[in-house]
Amino acid sequence: MDASHVESDLVDVLFTEEQIQARIAELAAQIEADHPVVEGQPDLLIVGILRGAAMVMADMARAFSRHIEMDWMAVSSYGSGTQSSGVVRILKDLDTDISGRHVVIVDEIIDTGLTLSWLTSNLSSRNPASVEIATLLRKPEALTMPVDVKYVGWDIPNEFVVGYGLDYRERYRNMRAIGTLAPHVYGG
């Protein structure tokens, strides 16, 4: 879906599809350079956080110029509302044993940092060689938990953004751009 199809729902478009694709390719190249292929070692494992990171993961995986492995986790800290409950639950765990593996968690956005702080700690307890975080967007003003993010696409203001995996009530995920959602849509 193009942003023009929901133009009245957006305040503005922050990043176009072309800008997103270019930035994801840059992030993949940076990750690849930091994790060279080592003979006899397993491929780099990238772990996407469902559901929002699906678009980022797919495009990032295609941007690598070598073999990587992919796995997925689903975690929740929101419960049924729009405010974090403060309790993180694993809804879908990894299928891969990460012991001795280099792992890069891929997410579409870091808001409070609560979920990723908890998730990094959880995965680190599984004896990986390393755990790093890559995110397309980060809201520094919204952070309430310290999170060491190695790869950041863009820092953005603390606004409600949608598109490219980011949703409001499961809508807008398939928008190819990222835009600021208009307050009249969500009652803000």
Side-chain angles (χ1 to χ4, degrees):
M1 175 172 66
D2 192 74
S4 65
H5 297 136
V6 290
E7 193 171 9
S8 65
D9 292 352
L10 303 175
V11 174
D12 59 2
V13 172
L14 297 175
F15 306 106
T16 65
E17 181 179 12
E18 294 77 18
Q19 290 171 310
I20 295 166
Q21 294 300 315
R23 188 65 183 123
I24 285 176
E26 291 169 0
L27 291 173
Q30 191 178 0
I31 293 167
E32 207 167 337
D34 290 348
H35 296 278
V37 175
V38 177
E39 188 70 33
Q41 296 294 315
D43 292 323
L44 175 67
L45 177 66
I46 61 174
V47 174
I49 307 305
L50 292 171
R51 286 177 245 181
M55 309 297 186
V56 178
M57 274 283 283
D59 289 339
M60 183 176 283
R62 287 190 291 259
F64 281 98
S65 62
R66 63 171 232 223
H67 294 291
I68 51 126
E69 289 184 37
M70 297 170 60
D71 203 342
W72 299 91
M73 288 189 81
V75 294
S76 174
S77 65
Y78 286 93
S80 60
T82 57
Q83 296 286 25
S84 176
S85 66
V87 177
V88 179
R89 296 182 311 129
I90 294 178
L91 305 175
K92 187 239 176 272
D93 207 343
L94 296 174
D95 296 323
T96 308
D97 177 6
I98 64 170
S99 181
R101 303 285 304 266
H102 291 285
V103 177
V104 176
I105 301 168
V106 178
D107 211 352
E108 82 284 11
I109 193 166
I110 297 176
D111 251 318
T112 63
L114 172 69
T115 303
L116 277 174
S117 175
W118 182 90
L119 186 58
T120 302
S121 176
N122 180 285
L123 293 182
S124 294
S125 73
R126 302 180 192 194
N127 301 314
S130 66
V131 175
E132 297 170 336
I133 299 171
T135 187
L136 185 60
L137 304 173
R138 176 176 59 185
K139 295 181 180 179
E141 297 166 18
L143 286 173
T144 60
M145 295 288 291
V147 181
D148 183 22
V149 183
K150 186 161 185 182
Y151 308 100
V152 178
W154 293 285
D155 282 331
I156 63 169
N158 190 13
E159 297 174 338
F160 200 136
V161 293
V162 293
Y164 199 75
L166 297 153
D167 74 299
Y168 172 64
R169 295 188 174 172
E170 295 303 321
R171 300 183 85 191
Y172 307 98
R173 282 194 199 278
N174 62 323
M175 188 172 75
R176 291 186 294 268
I178 294 173
T180 306
L181 192 61
H184 73 82
V185 176
Y186 61 93

